[in-house]
Amino acid sequence: MALIVQKYGGTSVGSVERIQAVAQRVYKTVKAGNSVVVVVSAMGKTTDGLVKLANEISPNPNRREMDMLLSTGEQVTIALLTMALQELGQPAISMTGAQVGIVTEAEHSRARILHIETTRLTRYINEGKVVVVAGFQGTSSTGEMEITTLGRGGSDTSAVAIAAALGANFCEIYTDVPGILTTDPRLVAEAQLIDEITCNEMLELASLGAKVLHPRAVEIARNYGVPLVVRSSWTDAPGTWVTSAKPQGRSLINLEIARPVDHVEFDTDQAKVALLRVPDNPGVAARLFGEIARQKVDVDLIIQSIHEGNSNDIAFTVTTPILRRAEAVAAAIAPALRSQSNPKFDEAEVMVEHNIAKVSIAGAGMIGRPGVAAKMFATLAEAGVNIQMISTSEIKVSCVVDAAECDRAVNALRTAFEIEARETIQNYSSTSSLPTQHSALSTQHSALSTQHSALPVCGVALDLKQARLAIRQLPDRPGMAAKLFGLLAQHNISVDMIIQSQRCRVIDGVPRRDIAFTVSRMDGESAREMLTQVAAELGWGEVVLDSAIAKVSIVGAGMLGQPGVAAKMFEALAQHQINIQMIATSEIKISCVVAQEQGVKALQAIHAAFGLAGSEKFVVPA
């Protein structure tokens, strides 16, 4: 007998008929010998309708009253579903977030879960009842017992948090698609179902805009080792399993606000190759990394900074033993990258730097927390460590530093993030990703196809809701990145991609570099205004905002140790004359910024290039 938490989204409970169908599914699960807790969202577009009503009353409604209003949507669903179960003869009881004991921060509209009191839940489960819980909501830990909501997509978070608190065997997320697909089926109808995916891969995809699972839900699953399966509420298809490594005995207190960083990682076996002043044209990255792949050179970090004039810089890191091969490839191709349109254009220059190290912080708790990267940069600045390259992902921030400063950097980061020595991983970038452990119920999905595990890329995602900020002529000294991203964190602005240019210019005796980063488009203008106000005081130049960008990314644990993956992505874009404006990578993700109007075409081209399309077309229910 298993304890199962099931979550049903708005479309799954969008009508009386759909609620009755869900009741039948729950009833069938119980009759198979399982105990079930059901978490539901508001029916259909109920939440959108409530928001519209509020906006008709007030252009800027009070956040407390919005939580009071929006929490009613789920209460309608839990009552109706409980009635439907009772009509089938199944004992059931509905409970709001407060009645369950979901205790959150006192932060209206975006609260995080602190802990869950499971006594009442457990009592009803032991009595043989199905407990139907209102997702998306909780109650503050203050004496006033304020109703709080977790933000859009919060029902996923509620379900996985309850599964973790109860020690459930697994959590089923029912939605309107048959599982997790290789990309958005509304953009590529032939998107293929993924049988199995790791939490790390899912974190990247979820945070890139794949809407099947909320990133916070995946974060909890990863931190507490909760096996997830994403299934369609319309069929009996097996869906997609989301697997995670065995958890490290994490406390259920401060469930969503526990320490954000699990590990400090370092790799001293690295060198950097940079090509400066390469033409800012489609196909340049494809040509460079295509030749690198043909020479079997495995690249770790790749960054392409924002253009300056008609050129930009591309830098990458490799392990020391293959540096000579990488350097030879770069030197051979550099003359061929000379601009054909401007004879006076300077030839691309190859710059090689030995004695560097990559230092990283890793952990699922970084998502949506603007202060984590800023804290890393501030820690390195206080230790007198200058940052040469920055690469970010949802679960890792990496900095390239001088090798002589590696030990100092690692020790400072361990102290700042309270990481024990045993949680520091050496040479992690050159090994495979953390081991994946299946649940005790692995026999239920042992027959899963291994097709996707053999592929280097499991999914392609597109984010059309970002803007890019570029700061010109930032002084190149310890502490500048800390000040910049500290300011953004103070204003609760989350940063995604961060690129520091390789080209350094000395102005008035001060070496300077450009730095660019992406933020949510809704934060773009306020971030530009705030940074412009302090530019003169902090000694940097112009702050430039570009909201007409798109970020397209590939994700896959299988890309580790496969040199041609980046080249294939870049070549797919080049074939469609799509210019790459920025590049950033992690061990399991490569992201490119392109023009907004080319975003969908870029996703479709890359999805096709990696052979991810299937023969079946998935239609998302309206």
Side-chain angles (χ1 to χ4, degrees):
M1 179 176 172
L3 172 57
I4 302 170
V5 176
Q6 296 182 341
K7 179 262 175 177
Y8 294 90
T11 53
S12 301
V13 291
S15 65
V16 168
E17 292 74 23
R18 290 302 307 149
I19 288 173
Q20 290 171 329
V22 166
Q24 289 284 355
R25 188 183 290 272
V26 174
Y27 182 68
K28 182 179 176 182
T29 305
V30 174
K31 290 305 173 187
N34 302 298
S35 297
V36 182
V37 175
V38 182
V39 177
V40 292
S41 300
M43 295 175 63
K45 302 290 185 181
T46 298
T47 302
D48 292 337
L50 293 172
V51 170
K52 185 173 182 288
L53 283 173
N55 289 333
E56 289 175 2
I57 296 290
S58 168
N60 187 27
N62 178 278
R63 282 169 55 191
R64 178 192 183 276
E65 301 311 324
M66 283 300 292
D67 277 2
M68 186 69 75
L69 175 67
L70 297 183
S71 64
T72 63
E74 281 72 20
Q75 288 177 231
V76 172
T77 315
I78 60 173
L80 292 175
L81 179 56
T82 300
M83 293 174 192
L85 285 166
Q86 291 169 347
E87 284 297 305
L88 295 173
Q90 172 59 48
I93 186 168
S94 63
M95 297 177 74
T96 66
Q99 289 173 320
V100 168
I102 299 176
V103 180
T104 75
E105 302 169 301
E107 184 74 41
H108 289 293
S109 79
R110 52 171 181 249
R112 288 182 176 267
I113 297 172
L114 299 178
H115 63 276
I116 300 177
E117 303 283 355
T118 58
T119 305
R120 195 173 176 191
L121 265 176
T122 303
R123 185 173 82 245
Y124 289 137
I125 292 168
N126 291 339
E127 291 174 1
K129 292 179 179 177
V130 170
V131 185
V132 184
V133 179
F136 172 68
Q137 62 181 250
T139 182
S140 70
S141 58
T142 59
E144 283 78 15
M145 295 287 288
E146 291 286 317
I147 292 175
T148 55
T149 64
L150 310 181
R152 299 302 289 265
S155 292
D156 286 353
T157 305
S158 300
V160 182
I162 288 171
L166 290 172
N169 295 89
F170 58 95
C171 179
E172 297 177 318
I173 305 292
Y174 285 94
T175 182
D176 52 9
V177 291
I180 297 160
L181 303 176
T182 51
T183 196
D184 187 339
R186 287 163 293 198
L187 301 178
V188 180
E190 298 80 13
Q192 195 170 348
L193 181 68
I194 302 172
D195 296 323
E196 186 173 343
I197 189 171
T198 67
C199 265
N200 283 356
E201 292 170 314
M202 192 64 236
L203 273 170
E204 301 285 11
L205 285 173
S207 300
L208 289 166
K211 298 176 182 177
V212 177
L213 268 175
H214 196 278
R216 282 168 61 186
V218 186
E219 175 187 351
I220 296 168
R222 180 185 186 271
N223 286 342
Y224 293 95
V226 178
L228 293 179
V229 59
V230 180
R231 292 185 171 135
S232 170
S233 60
W234 304 75
T235 71
D236 291 322
T240 303
W241 283 88
V242 184
T243 61
S244 57
K246 186 175 181 179
Q248 300 291 318
R250 187 182 287 258
S251 170
L252 287 162
I253 303 299
N254 292 330
L255 192 145
E256 274 203 279
I257 63 168
R259 69 178 192 185
V261 174
D262 294 324
H263 305 290
V264 173
E265 302 167 3
F266 68 97
D267 186 352
T268 54
D269 191 27
Q270 293 230 331
K272 179 176 70 176
V273 179
L275 276 83
L276 310 184
R277 298 183 298 278
V278 298
D280 185 33
N281 299 322
V284 170
R287 193 169 181 180
L288 171 61
F289 289 98
E291 186 59 34
I292 286 173
R294 282 187 285 276
Q295 298 300 322
K296 306 297 184 187
V297 174
D298 192 16
V299 172
D300 183 9
L301 299 182
I302 303 171
I303 68 165
Q304 177 182 304
S305 56
I306 54 169
H307 68 88
E308 182 173 342
N310 295 316
S311 71
N312 51 32
D313 307 330
I314 299 177
F316 56 92
T317 62
V318 295
T319 55
T320 305
I322 60 172
L323 172 61
R324 287 190 177 181
R325 263 193 293 157
E327 186 178 357
V329 171
I333 201 170
L337 298 179
R338 183 179 299 176
S339 172
Q340 301 300 313
S341 59
N342 185 355
K344 297 180 180 179
F345 194 81
D346 290 334
E347 183 176 320
E349 175 189 352
V350 179
M351 182 175 70
V352 178
E353 190 163 347
H354 305 260
N355 302 318
I356 63 166
K358 183 178 74 170
V359 179
S360 309
I361 55 172
M366 299 182 188
I367 295 170
R369 300 195 204 182
V372 177
K375 184 176 180 179
M376 180 185 192
F377 303 151
T379 299
L380 294 177
E382 288 166 10
V385 176
N386 197 36
I387 300 169
Q388 300 179 23
M389 289 173 71
I390 299 170
S391 180
T392 58
S393 77
E394 298 307 322
I395 55 176
K396 183 176 289 190
V397 180
S398 298
C399 294
V400 170
V401 302
D402 191 284
E405 298 176 333
C406 181
D407 287 347
R408 189 160 77 248
V410 168
N411 290 333
L413 292 171
R414 279 171 42 191
T415 300
F417 289 102
E418 300 177 3
I419 302 297
E420 297 178 13
R422 63 182 176 82
E423 296 165 322
T424 300
I425 303 174
Q426 185 175 5
N427 289 329
Y428 180 68
S429 67
S430 58
T431 63
S432 61
S433 58
L434 288 172
T436 298
Q437 174 167 314
H438 294 273
S439 69
L441 294 160
S442 59
T443 52
Q444 294 195 18
H445 58 288
S446 60
L448 288 175
S449 166
T450 58
Q451 177 185 3
H452 286 284
S453 62
L455 293 173
V457 172
C458 68
V460 186
L462 176 66
D463 190 342
L464 292 168
K465 296 181 179 179
Q466 291 207 356
R468 179 181 61 219
L469 284 151
I471 300 180
R472 301 291 188 182
Q473 300 173 13
L474 200 76
D476 185 29
R477 57 173 177 257
M480 291 311 298
K483 286 181 180 177
L484 167 59
F485 295 104
L487 280 169
L488 293 166
Q490 288 171 23
H491 288 77
N492 203 35
I493 296 173
S494 292
V495 176
D496 185 17
M497 293 172 70
I498 303 173
I499 304 292
Q500 183 173 263
S501 70
Q502 294 305 292
R503 213 177 308 186
C504 188
R505 291 186 171 183
V506 177
I507 301 174
D508 297 329
V510 179
R512 297 174 180 272
R513 298 181 192 271
D514 296 341
I515 194 163
F517 52 92
T518 59
V519 298
S520 170
R521 189 170 296 161
M522 62 187 294
D523 290 330
E525 184 55 41
S526 59
R528 187 197 66 78
E529 290 178 3
M530 183 267 292
L531 295 174
T532 299
Q533 288 172 6
V534 299
E537 175 190 342
L538 295 175
W540 60 52
E542 183 184 12
V543 180
V544 183
L545 173 66
D546 184 357
S547 297
I549 64 164
K551 184 179 77 169
V552 62
S553 307
I554 57 174
V555 174
M559 66 175 69
L560 283 160
Q562 296 206 32
V565 176
K568 182 179 284 190
M569 179 183 188
F570 303 154
E571 178 60 30
L573 296 175
Q575 286 177 358
H576 289 78
Q577 290 299 300
I578 297 171
N579 195 36
I580 300 172
Q581 299 180 16
M582 291 170 66
I583 301 170
T585 67
S586 71
E587 281 88 346
I588 64 170
K589 181 175 75 173
I590 301 172
S591 295
C592 294
V593 168
V594 301
Q596 183 181 5
E597 67 269 16
Q598 294 182 308
V600 172
K601 185 165 72 170
L603 177 137
Q604 293 168 341
I606 294 167
H607 192 270
F610 284 96
L612 295 177
S615 55
E616 183 180 354
K617 291 188 177 182
F618 291 109
V619 178
V620 179

